[in-house]
Amino acid sequence: MSATQQKSELSRLVRERRSIRNFAKRALSRELVVELLQAAEASTPAAQREPSHRFILVASPEGKAKAASLIMDTYAEQGLYKWIPNKLNQLMADRIAQIPAFLIVIAKDSGEGGRELATVSAVLQSLALLAWEQGIGAVWNTEPFMHKPSFTSGIGLRADERIVTILYLGYCEKTPKTKPRTPAASKLTHL
């Protein structure tokens, strides 16, 4: 493939990629996720220096059940679901557990003004494009539960770390239609 064709293919991937919230009931192999992560890190020079981030892959039924339990515990701590019947709580926990894979993304919190966040964000953007090329969708989750002590201690977060996001991954059941987007030109200010 020529350099022009590669640029065209990359442009197509960037334009066509969508956040996926409804996943097919098809497991993601650990090996494929590792392969995609290695390729994403290889495409990000800063990620190849001193490791400033790590990942926790949650894809086994036991791991997903534990993650769902930790998430539901944080909701209970917040008092959000204390009036909801247990059956509905179980339905919510089951919905969480049906996500094919969770990738908990953790960065060192060294106080370097966001360098770690920038590096891991570049890795995740590459990962999302590489995954999309394989028919795998992703959505970034940044809900407040992921910063609650019961969740962070449950996943083994260290004192010098923070959770950047939880990336939900899975094969696309149906690709969403393109929605109108705010043109980049309308967000641009000239000095």
Side-chain angles (χ1 to χ4, degrees):
M1 185 180 293
S2 73
T4 303
Q5 289 171 319
Q6 286 177 334
K7 286 180 185 176
S8 176
E9 178 64 13
L10 179 60
S11 178
R12 184 190 63 74
L13 278 173
V14 169
R15 293 173 195 279
E16 291 180 1
R17 193 200 69 76
R18 301 284 176 266
S19 292
I20 302 297
R21 290 176 175 80
N22 294 314
F23 301 106
K25 293 181 181 180
R26 182 175 162 199
L28 276 176
S29 77
R30 177 184 182 276
E31 294 77 19
L32 179 57
V33 174
V34 169
E35 179 185 319
L36 293 171
L37 274 171
Q38 287 174 331
E41 293 223 324
S43 74
T44 311
Q48 297 169 28
R49 292 188 215 116
E50 182 68 26
S52 63
H53 58 274
R54 66 184 178 102
F55 307 97
I56 298 173
L57 178 61
V58 181
S60 70
E62 300 81 20
K64 290 190 284 184
K66 179 180 178 178
S69 176
L70 290 170
I71 292 168
M72 296 309 293
D73 288 349
T74 65
Y75 289 155
E77 285 172 16
Q78 297 174 62
L80 296 176
Y81 295 106
K82 68 181 178 183
W83 302 112
I84 296 177
N86 284 339
K87 190 172 188 176
L88 188 53
N89 277 334
Q90 187 59 50
L91 285 173
M92 292 175 73
D94 291 345
R95 173 74 175 126
I96 292 167
Q98 287 178 4
I99 296 168
F102 296 36
L103 190 65
I104 302 172
V105 183
I106 299 168
K108 284 191 178 179
D109 197 4
S110 67
E112 286 192 29
R115 179 174 288 174
E116 293 86 5
L117 181 59
T119 298
V120 78
S121 293
V123 169
L124 292 176
Q125 285 298 97
S126 294
L127 175 65
L129 291 172
L130 291 164
W132 188 254
E133 192 174 42
Q134 300 289 321
I136 299 167
V139 65
W140 294 41
N141 185 340
T142 55
E143 292 182 40
F145 76 78
M146 65 187 210
H147 301 294
K148 299 292 180 189
S150 60
F151 186 79
T152 59
S153 66
I155 64 161
L157 192 71
R158 297 186 285 257
D160 66 339
E161 296 177 323
R162 65 183 170 137
I163 298 174
V164 174
T165 189
I166 300 175
L167 195 66
Y168 297 152
L169 296 165
Y171 287 98
C172 303
E173 187 161 325
K174 182 179 173 187
T175 303
K177 292 181 181 177
T178 303
K179 294 180 181 177
R181 298 182 185 228
T182 305
S186 69
K187 301 175 189 177
L188 181 64
T189 302
H190 299 274
L191 290 179

